[in-house]
Amino acid sequence: MKVLSPSILSADFWRLGEQIREIEDAGVKYLHIDVMDGIFVPSISYGMPLIASIRRHTNMFFDVHLMIDEPERYIEEFAKSGADMINFHIEAARDVQRTIDKIRMTGKKAGITIKPDTPVSELEPYIDKVDMVLVMTVEPGFSGQRLIPECFDKLREVSRMVKDRGLSTDIEADGGINLDNVESVIAAGANVIVAGSSVFKGDITVRIKEFISKMQ
Ligand code: DX5
Ligand code: ZN
């Protein structure tokens, strides 16, 4: 199943509710929520109160991307606030297996994320234990960056790893994805597409329709 997961990091927070409603009305089921702590990545975004607040108004699937150090400390809180999928960075976790177990204990879906410089081989011990692998196609921390072309190989490698093991793990790509490169990102193996600035800069409904038609 191919899915678009618009990242609200690029939203106009004054009109956040309105913009989420517009995304939902355009037929999108996923919402990508980037949590940054200013330690694992240079910037700070938002956290549990924002997620809990929007959770009260929509049944969309909350695809939460934790860019925080030692994510195991906050799994329960993110689950309680309304996350459906909790993605954490393999580079940020003290104990990757324990972090996956903690997510499982909450009943939420679990995802592992790798930065552009992290070898795909690091996923090997965990690939059959998660619902999703998130491959960063930019350095995490900011929206509006250019996709790093070397990440196409990485997506192909993850896709091969998933196929070789007979798994059906989702592969999400995040960063610098736009209407010109989304088809190549899908061809490289991604089936969950994050798009921030390319959805929010312009008419959201029109952008989403264009993305969806390119993702068929
Ligand atoms: C970056 C975030 C992304 C970001 C993507 O660290 O993980 O989800 O919002 O934004 P664009 O699509 O503008 O690169
Ligand atoms: Zn993200």
Side-chain angles (χ1 to χ4, degrees), residues 7 9-10 32 34 36 65 67 136 138-145 174-177 194-198:
S7 165
L9 191 59
S10 295
H32 186 84
D34 290 300
M36 305 182 185
H65 174 195
M67 284 165 272
M136 287 306 299
V138 298
E139 282 302 330
F142 302 97
S143 62
Q145 305 179 71
D174 180 11
I177 302 174
V194 178
S197 41
S198 45

Side-chain angles (χ1 to χ4, degrees), residues 61-118:
F61 184 88
F62 285 0
D63 164 30
V64 174
H65 174 195
L66 298 181
M67 284 165 272
I68 65 173
D69 204 31
E70 291 183 49
E72 49 270 48
R73 295 174 298 158
Y74 291 105
I75 300 301
E76 276 146 39
E77 282 184 71
F78 280 105
K80 265 195 212 128
S81 71
D84 293 298
M85 155 77 68
I86 302 178
N87 261 301
F88 67 94
H89 273 265
I90 200 166
E91 308 88 358
R94 283 246 177 105
D95 185 332
V96 175
Q97 187 56 57
R98 213 177 109 75
T99 310
I100 296 171
D101 294 343
K102 275 200 152 183
I103 301 174
R104 292 275 174 237
M105 264 151 44
T106 67
K108 306 297 180 183
K109 297 212 176 219
I112 271 192
T113 310
I114 52 169
K115 295 206 279 185
D117 288 338
T118 303

Side-chain angles (χ1 to χ4, degrees), residues 115-148:
K115 295 206 279 185
D117 288 338
T118 303
V120 170
S121 58
E122 293 202 11
L123 293 169
E124 243 157 58
Y126 314 108
I127 190 94
D128 58 342
K129 300 185 171 67
V130 291
D131 302 290
M132 178 189 269
V133 170
L134 197 178
V135 177
M136 287 306 299
T137 42
V138 298
E139 282 302 330
F142 302 97
S143 62
Q145 305 179 71
R146 261 173 186 278
L147 180 143
I148 301 168

Side-chain angles (χ1 to χ4, degrees), residues 3-55:
V3 197
L4 181 66
S5 191
S7 165
I8 58 166
L9 191 59
S10 295
D12 170 359
F13 295 117
W14 177 251
R15 301 194 297 129
L16 184 60
E18 230 176 85
Q19 293 191 327
I20 292 174
R21 189 67 74 219
E22 184 173 354
I23 291 169
E24 195 172 11
D25 288 346
V28 171
K29 304 267 183 282
Y30 276 45
L31 205 59
H32 186 84
I33 304 175
D34 290 300
V35 178
M36 305 182 185
D37 67 353
I39 296 170
F40 180 68
V41 287
S43 193
I44 298 177
S45 56
Y46 35 69
M48 293 75 93
L50 179 128
I51 299 174
S53 168
I54 60 175
R55 179 77 290 170

Side-chain angles (χ1 to χ4, degrees), residues 156-189:
R156 281 189 276 268
E157 225 183 304
V158 174
S159 171
R160 211 175 307 126
M161 190 183 264
V162 166
K163 283 201 188 105
D164 286 351
R165 286 164 176 72
L167 301 167
S168 53
T169 319
D170 282 317
I171 304 176
E172 180 171 44
D174 180 11
I177 302 174
N178 54 42
L179 289 163
D180 296 327
N181 62 19
V182 64
E183 286 154 303
S184 317
V185 173
I186 288 173

